[in-house]
Amino acid sequence: MSRRSLHRLVRPLPAALPLALLLAACGERDAAPAAPTAASGTAAPSRAELVEQLASTLQACSYDGRPERLDPATLTGTPPADCRSMVERVMGYTGLPQNFVVTEGPVANAAAVILLDEQRVPQRVIAFNRDFLGEVRAATNGNPWAPVSIMAHEIGHHLSGHTITGTGSQPPIELEADKFSGFVLQRMGASLADAKSAMQSLGADHVTATHPARNDRLAAIQDGWMEACTQAGQTGCQAGAGTGTAPPQAPPPARSATVHLPAPSATTIPLKYGRFVVDETGRLDPELLKGLEATLYDLAQKQGIELALLVVDDLHGMSAQDYAWTMLRQLRIGKLDLGNGGVFVVAPNQGTSAVAYAPGVAKQLEFGNPPKQFDSWTAETWQRYCLDDDGCGISTRSLLNIVESQVRVLTSSGRTFRIRFNDIQEIVDYTAERQAERAAGRPWDDARDQTIGALVRFSATVKNLQPSPAQFKVNEAILKDGRWRALVVETEAGNEVTLYMQPQTEQLMPGGRLETGRRYTFVGELTTPGQFHSSAGVQQGNTQLWLFSYDPLQ
């Protein structure tokens, strides 16, 4: 099965069905359905239904017994050549074809599991954690046979039928897989010490509900090794000597090419950078980065929203927050007038992160907290998995998931950034006309009547940069947490408009700080057309908007 198909595996097969059901699921494709049973009077399940029942009941067998509930969508890692080679070499000594799917994924160590592919056909999968295999090599002083023994153990689970029993890991079946590992490694030429090396270094001393103690497992490996040696008619088996050459080690994958962002500057001329994902560290998985780049490009094409992820080596003496705002302006992410850009900054070597959202995006993503998630990823993953020669590998996925969760919020909203109204009086008149139509009996039509959320471009003069909260004019609830401040402007037609502005917006604007008495063109998102329903009837207050941008006219 191809890696592309694996991405569409539906779910793991996890806990037990009767043998008759398993046999039925493996019956002839064109066999006639069984007659209804006399006891129940219901028709026997079809083959497809039996497969679906099977798919809801089986469990993975992991190397150390930790329960695994695999999400197929996360099994996206391309296995290194030496891991694929290990499986092929092990199968070569069994006389059976290699028909396993080998993939890297977020499992604790290594696991054998059955998953359904896109045609609902069960596939035997061996999932491994690249970081765990690196830890195995380190713990065994680079013994090249150690990871082979782990792969052989997982293959043993599949060949012994453990992945279809529904019990998951249990001591008896773990000993069977251990014995198979010892048996096949002897056939491959490993010494007894080599066959035991991984278990000697990593096995638990005590018995658990899922796994035997280390000594019992070492004994099972030795039994398998001795049995293979004896069957081969070799002399001197008690010496435990190996007869073969250790498997080759694939070189670590090349790190992605390092890209350097321009130094942040408040005075440099802004310039579109042309990329949505930048990794200055060179340690993130380049294939996974390409996937995020495509996702962010698609968001920009379909909704006009531009987001960028910057994983940086150097904050140039700035805080992550200041760096993010500077790069939002300098790299010209999003359209300045529409406020449709955002920057995620992760500085893993400094252990800090930040986001900078232009106002239009800020309203859409105001309830998320990516920096908290980024900092957690840095603390839990960066130091542990990303600083060796292999880089972050599949651990890149959990970082990118944080960004993709914010993309999902934006795509689910369906929000696009297009100007709908070009004058405040146009909004007032439009709203009054629609209200009159509804008063005459027309039902509400969301597409026609809803104006809240519309983008507006209009011209007005700044009247008050620090207005006090007032009913129907300035909403105190919006101002209380300090994320927005208010200003009141007046159009040439005499319409008062309240604008709510992020404190950082002024530093993005080429026109500098707002000045009382000066005339500007403003762009914002309508939060209310200014008509408020009360016990006294409809009250006219200020039209109110979230301010995205401004540009001086004089």
Side-chain angles (χ1 to χ4, degrees):
M1 186 174 66
S2 69
R3 182 183 172 212
R4 187 181 186 89
S5 299
L6 176 62
H7 292 179
R8 295 194 285 265
L9 287 171
V10 179
R11 54 193 165 125
L13 310 170
L17 288 179
L19 179 60
L21 177 58
L22 298 180
L23 293 175
C26 299
E28 291 295 327
R29 176 173 298 182
D30 299 323
T37 61
S40 65
T42 60
S46 68
R47 181 179 185 276
E49 291 170 332
L50 291 171
V51 171
E52 287 297 326
Q53 292 178 47
L54 176 63
S56 67
T57 59
L58 299 177
Q59 290 186 16
C61 298
S62 66
Y63 188 68
D64 66 354
R66 297 183 217 182
E68 296 287 1
R69 288 289 184 266
L70 301 183
D71 177 2
T74 66
L75 300 180
T76 59
T78 302
D82 57 344
C83 289
R84 296 193 301 271
S85 175
M86 288 178 204
V87 174
E88 292 168 358
R89 290 191 64 186
V90 169
M91 293 305 296
Y93 284 86
T94 67
L96 298 172
Q98 198 302 85
N99 57 4
F100 299 118
V101 177
V102 184
T103 181
E104 185 181 356
V107 294
N109 38 72
V113 63
I114 295 179
L115 301 174
L116 295 183
D117 67 13
E118 56 194 335
Q119 278 81 43
R120 316 300 296 164
V121 176
Q123 300 287 346
R124 299 188 297 182
V125 176
I126 295 175
F128 69 92
N129 184 316
R130 184 196 299 256
D131 299 315
F132 171 68
L133 293 182
E135 292 170 5
V136 170
R137 291 187 176 100
T140 59
N141 295 317
N143 190 320
W145 289 105
V148 179
S149 70
I150 292 172
M151 289 296 186
H153 175 97
E154 300 305 331
I155 291 171
H157 279 306
H158 275 310
L159 297 185
S160 300
H162 299 157
T163 48
I164 62 170
T165 62
T167 60
S169 294
Q170 289 187 340
I173 67 174
E174 292 306 320
L175 292 177
E176 289 181 22
D178 289 331
K179 182 175 181 178
F180 174 83
S181 172
F183 184 95
V184 78
L185 258 71
Q186 196 283 334
R187 287 284 180 88
M188 296 175 71
S191 69
L192 179 57
D194 288 332
K196 291 180 174 182
S197 61
M199 188 59 62
Q200 190 73 59
S201 301
L202 301 167
D205 290 330
H206 55 282
V207 178
T208 70
T210 61
H211 278 59
R214 178 193 293 122
N215 286 341
D216 293 331
R217 301 190 69 177
L218 290 171
I221 292 171
Q222 181 165 329
D223 285 347
W225 193 95
M226 287 295 183
E227 186 172 313
C229 186
T230 302
Q231 284 184 8
Q234 297 176 8
T235 58
C237 291
Q238 294 302 319
T243 60
T245 304
Q249 299 284 309
R255 289 171 50 185
S256 56
T258 300
V259 178
H260 291 290
L261 290 161
S265 170
T267 58
T268 190
I269 298 174
L271 179 67
K272 280 279 187 186
Y273 192 63
R275 301 178 65 158
F276 295 112
V277 181
V278 176
D279 172 26
E280 285 192 330
T281 71
R283 294 189 176 276
L284 302 179
D285 186 291
E287 291 302 315
L288 295 178
L289 294 184
K290 288 179 183 177
L292 179 61
E293 179 83 25
T295 297
L296 297 180
Y297 179 84
D298 195 52
L299 178 69
Q301 288 290 100
K302 292 181 177 178
Q303 293 180 246
I305 301 171
E306 296 184 11
L307 300 179
L309 170 64
L310 312 179
V311 182
V312 301
D313 266 332
D314 186 3
L315 291 171
H316 298 271
M318 306 173 73
S319 70
Q321 190 67 74
D322 288 344
Y323 182 91
W325 281 106
T326 300
M327 299 312 283
L328 178 65
R329 183 199 72 86
Q330 187 171 329
L331 302 182
R332 192 56 86 222
I333 297 167
K335 293 182 178 179
L336 189 62
D337 59 337
L338 297 181
N340 59 343
V343 174
F344 305 95
V345 169
V346 182
N349 291 321
Q350 288 79 44
T352 185
S353 63
V355 297
Y357 296 143
V361 172
K363 282 306 301 173
Q364 302 294 309
L365 300 179
E366 62 181 332
F367 299 112
N369 189 4
K372 181 178 180 181
Q373 296 172 283
F374 288 142
D375 291 346
S376 177
W377 178 86
T378 297
E380 296 172 6
T381 304
W382 181 257
Q383 293 291 335
R384 184 177 181 185
Y385 298 127
C386 295
L387 298 183
D388 59 14
D389 290 337
D390 289 347
C392 297
I394 194 64
S395 299
T396 303
R397 178 75 269 164
S398 53
L399 174 68
L400 305 191
N401 283 342
I402 301 169
V403 178
E404 290 174 352
S405 69
Q406 303 304 295
V407 173
R408 286 192 293 272
V409 173
L410 295 169
T411 54
S412 64
S413 73
R415 176 63 188 275
T416 57
F417 284 78
R418 299 185 180 92
I419 301 295
R420 181 175 175 185
F421 297 105
N422 287 286
D423 186 76
I424 296 300
Q425 189 60 45
E426 182 185 359
I427 298 172
V428 175
D429 294 343
Y430 184 91
T431 303
E433 291 169 4
R434 302 293 83 75
Q435 286 179 336
E437 291 173 1
R438 294 195 300 276
R442 179 179 64 78
W444 174 274
D445 179 356
D446 197 60
R448 188 174 184 182
D449 295 303
Q450 183 60 271
T451 57
I452 294 174
L455 295 192
V456 185
R457 177 183 282 117
F458 68 101
S459 299
T461 301
V462 175
K463 185 176 180 180
N464 189 346
L465 286 172
Q466 293 182 317
S468 300
Q471 189 176 28
F472 307 141
K473 291 181 179 292
V474 179
N475 189 332
E476 183 177 14
I478 293 175
L479 307 180
K480 64 182 180 180
D481 64 3
R483 291 187 301 153
W484 301 85
R485 69 181 182 89
L487 62 139
V488 174
V489 301
E490 186 175 2
T491 68
E492 287 186 332
N495 302 112
E496 274 199 354
V497 181
T498 302
L499 302 175
Y500 299 103
M501 179 176 70
Q502 284 183 301
Q504 300 89 346
T505 299
E506 287 184 307
Q507 74 185 63
L508 297 175
M509 298 295 109
R513 293 185 175 277
L514 290 165
E515 299 175 15
T516 303
R518 194 169 185 184
R519 192 160 175 258
Y520 297 85
T521 295
F522 297 99
V523 175
E525 176 186 328
L526 187 67
T527 181
T528 173
Q531 296 177 336
F532 300 88
H533 294 267
S534 68
S535 58
V538 177
Q539 303 290 314
Q540 183 64 46
N542 287 5
T543 301
Q544 300 180 25
L545 299 92
W546 306 109
L547 178 61
F548 290 178
S549 68
Y550 57 84
D551 195 37
L553 291 177
Q554 58 185 24

